[in-house]
Amino acid sequence: MSGDIPFGFGQPRDPDDESGNSGASGSGSGGSIPPGFGSGNPPGFGAGGPEGFDMANLGAALQQLGAMLQSSGGENAGPVNWEMATDVARKAIVEAGDPSVPSAQQRSVEEAVGLADVWLDPATEFPATAGTAKSWSRSEWLTETMPAWQKFIEPIAEQMQSTMQTMMPGPEALGGGAMGLPEGLPPELASAMGPLMGMAKAMGSAMFGMQVGNGLAALAGEVVCSSDVGIPLTSDGHSALVPSNVLAFSEGLDLPDSDVLVYIALREAAHQRLFAHVPWLRARVEGALEAYAKGVVVDQDRIQSALEGVDVQNPEAIQEAMASGVFEQEDTPEQKAALARLETMLALVEGWVDDVVDAAASSRLPSYDRLRETLRRRRAIGGPAEKTFANLVGLELRPRRLREAAQLWEKLRETGGIEARDALWAHPDLLPTADDLDDIDAFLGRSSDIDTSELDKPGPVEDAPDESGDQD
């Protein structure tokens, strides 16, 4: 009997059963009933009527489902409902507190970035980027970086959507009838089930949008600048800080706020210089993320178990289930190789920034050593990027080889000067690999024989990597 009941509807409750449980357990369908629909009836479909359906609330329940499908795009829904993600994130940010940036803080940020550029000029071959420094509120950070998040998250979300679709029952799984519906359903339900048959994409899109929105809202309360997550979230070359989060970062450090602001400005400005003057670098990071996405293998049993019995009209319940580790990916050789390339690239970027800022400010900023150590501790417990990506897509972006990468850049600068160090960014093939980080001295010996005088800075367009992100 349970195999003939359409998804979203349980068996009528036994009048003698005081437990309140419906006849269907949700687990006896052998996986044919999608997660979140197996046990317990949605509001409006309880045991209120003689046939097990509360006809008085049927219209309201269908209106709620219809609104969700409409906002999600129905069968044409993309892998992430970005409208829902943005709305969820904005509401969460406002509820947590989102102070606007006063003019005094804006001037402080501009002065800090200006000073940082003066200090960075003799520490790197890459010149300062044009444009005035920006001061963002948390909501402004969300708005300005959302296009980049869409580009990074969508490939992995596509794999998740495909998984959700395979978990939704088709007409053959729901029994007979022209639409695959069981015989004897009330006319109102029979006509309503048509749109529900195509809700697989909408449900996956909506749930992932909810997860993305909550993740980005949490991130908005932590990041201190646009480059804090390591991956490039802006492309205009402007340094951008989030003053309210900078102040929160400085709490308990017993250091002047101005020192903390200058330190963050130094790191942000160094990031902007690197990505602005190494045009292939952004494509290389994006390619590494896309290569990882192509190999995503999602554990369907874990998702189904986490969402079993969840009320699909309760966003908080869905969010709790989706954040419980259902997006942890299965390790495959391809995934490990893609992740290794991504981690190495992020470590090289962060290590270069560490060395440039060390050379620029270690002798100028009295509190520099303490600030550097604070940042290292923050990385050790997991920075914003790691937390967000781990919750969203099971991808940790911790640059595990950061210490080795920083040592490599430092030795290059000590032996060949900033020119030799920065010259390696002239072409992706010149960069050290993960194996090179295991034997820095051997790499230094090989790189000293490389003639980069014929390589243009920035590199030619044809040197940009293909979509796979391979460095071979």
Side-chain angles (χ1 to χ4, degrees):
M1 177 67 181
S2 63
D4 295 330
I5 295 179
F7 67 94
F9 302 90
Q11 292 181 352
R13 181 164 58 94
D14 185 347
D16 297 328
D17 183 6
E18 298 181 356
S19 66
N21 294 328
S22 61
S25 66
S27 59
S29 59
S32 63
I33 296 179
F37 297 90
S39 59
N41 296 315
F45 302 105
E51 301 298 326
F53 303 109
D54 187 352
M55 303 304 295
N57 294 330
L58 175 60
L62 292 178
Q63 277 187 333
Q64 291 177 357
L65 288 171
M68 183 192 69
L69 288 171
Q70 184 176 9
S71 67
S72 301
E75 293 184 0
N76 297 321
V80 180
N81 184 336
W82 289 106
E83 181 179 352
M84 177 178 289
T86 302
D87 185 56
V88 167
R90 283 176 174 168
K91 289 180 180 178
I93 290 171
V94 170
E95 289 177 1
D98 184 27
S100 59
V101 182
S103 56
Q105 283 188 347
Q106 294 178 16
R107 288 194 298 271
S108 296
V109 168
E110 292 174 5
E111 292 171 359
V113 173
L115 179 60
D117 278 331
V118 172
W119 289 1
L120 288 172
D121 282 341
T124 176
E125 289 284 283
F126 302 128
T129 57
T132 305
K134 298 179 180 180
S135 301
W136 287 342
S137 66
R138 290 160 182 161
S139 294
E140 289 171 332
W141 174 87
L142 175 71
T143 300
E144 296 292 337
T145 63
M146 184 60 81
W149 288 115
Q150 293 180 10
K151 190 168 187 178
F152 291 135
I153 293 175
E154 196 134 324
I156 298 179
E158 288 176 354
Q159 302 295 328
M160 176 59 63
Q161 186 184 68
S162 298
T163 298
M164 296 297 291
Q165 283 184 262
T166 62
M167 296 169 66
M168 299 296 287
E172 64 281 356
L174 295 175
M179 295 176 57
L181 300 177
E183 301 290 343
L185 282 179
E188 295 88 347
L189 287 176
S191 62
M193 285 301 294
L196 295 180
M197 296 293 293
M199 72 183 298
K201 284 187 177 181
M203 284 298 300
S205 176
M207 287 193 292
F208 210 95
M210 228 179 278
Q211 178 75 352
V212 169
N214 280 282
L216 293 182
L219 188 59
E222 295 182 5
V223 292
V224 294
C225 58
S226 71
S227 62
D228 201 7
V229 297
I231 57 179
L233 297 178
T234 59
S235 58
D236 59 7
H238 291 258
S239 294
L241 276 64
V242 185
S244 58
N245 291 345
V246 174
L247 290 175
F249 174 76
S250 67
E251 289 181 1
L253 297 181
D254 195 24
L255 294 173
D257 291 341
S258 57
D259 283 14
V260 179
L261 188 61
V262 169
Y263 179 73
I264 299 299
L266 282 161
R267 299 193 60 83
E268 168 72 358
H271 270 101
Q272 294 299 335
R273 290 185 185 215
L274 182 62
F275 279 98
H277 297 291
V278 183
W280 54 263
L281 181 57
R282 185 182 306 274
R284 182 54 59 107
V285 174
E286 293 172 356
L289 284 166
E290 290 173 5
Y292 178 88
K294 290 177 181 178
V296 165
V297 179
V298 183
D299 189 337
Q300 296 186 18
D301 292 338
R302 181 183 291 146
I303 296 177
Q304 192 157 2
S305 176
L307 296 180
E308 186 70 34
V310 172
D311 181 0
V312 297
Q313 297 187 53
N314 184 348
E316 293 180 357
I318 295 176
Q319 165 64 17
E320 182 178 352
M322 299 286 275
S324 62
V326 299
F327 293 110
E328 293 179 3
Q329 315 299 341
E330 298 179 2
D331 286 334
T332 64
E334 294 79 11
Q335 287 293 84
K336 291 179 179 179
L339 185 58
R341 288 195 296 270
L342 180 58
E343 288 180 338
T344 300
M345 180 60 65
L346 295 177
L348 291 174
V349 170
E350 291 298 311
W352 181 88
V353 170
D354 279 359
D355 185 64
V356 170
V357 174
D358 278 351
S362 59
S363 62
R364 291 187 173 100
L365 196 62
S367 56
Y368 181 79
D369 290 340
R370 290 183 57 187
L371 287 166
R372 181 177 56 182
E373 184 59 30
T374 299
L375 181 63
R376 286 178 177 172
R377 289 198 303 268
R378 186 174 183 240
R379 287 170 175 160
I381 63 175
E386 179 184 356
K387 293 178 182 177
T388 298
F389 272 81
N391 288 336
L392 291 180
V393 292
L395 173 61
E396 295 184 1
L397 292 182
R398 180 186 299 180
R400 306 175 193 274
R401 310 299 302 276
L402 175 58
R403 187 180 297 274
E404 293 89 340
Q407 291 175 351
L408 182 144
W409 293 121
E410 181 182 9
K411 288 188 175 182
L412 274 171
R413 173 172 53 85
E414 292 175 346
T415 57
I418 62 173
E419 296 85 357
R421 181 199 62 195
D422 293 352
L424 290 188
W425 293 106
H427 194 281
D429 290 343
L430 298 179
L431 290 180
T433 64
D435 292 338
D436 292 327
L437 295 181
D438 292 330
D439 193 347
I440 295 177
D441 291 335
F443 174 79
L444 293 176
R446 294 194 304 272
S447 63
S448 62
D449 299 329
I450 297 176
D451 182 9
T452 61
S453 60
E454 299 300 321
L455 296 174
D456 294 331
K457 287 187 179 181
V461 174
E462 60 267 26
D463 288 336
D466 58 26
E467 293 183 357
S468 68
D470 292 336
Q471 296 189 38
D472 296 329

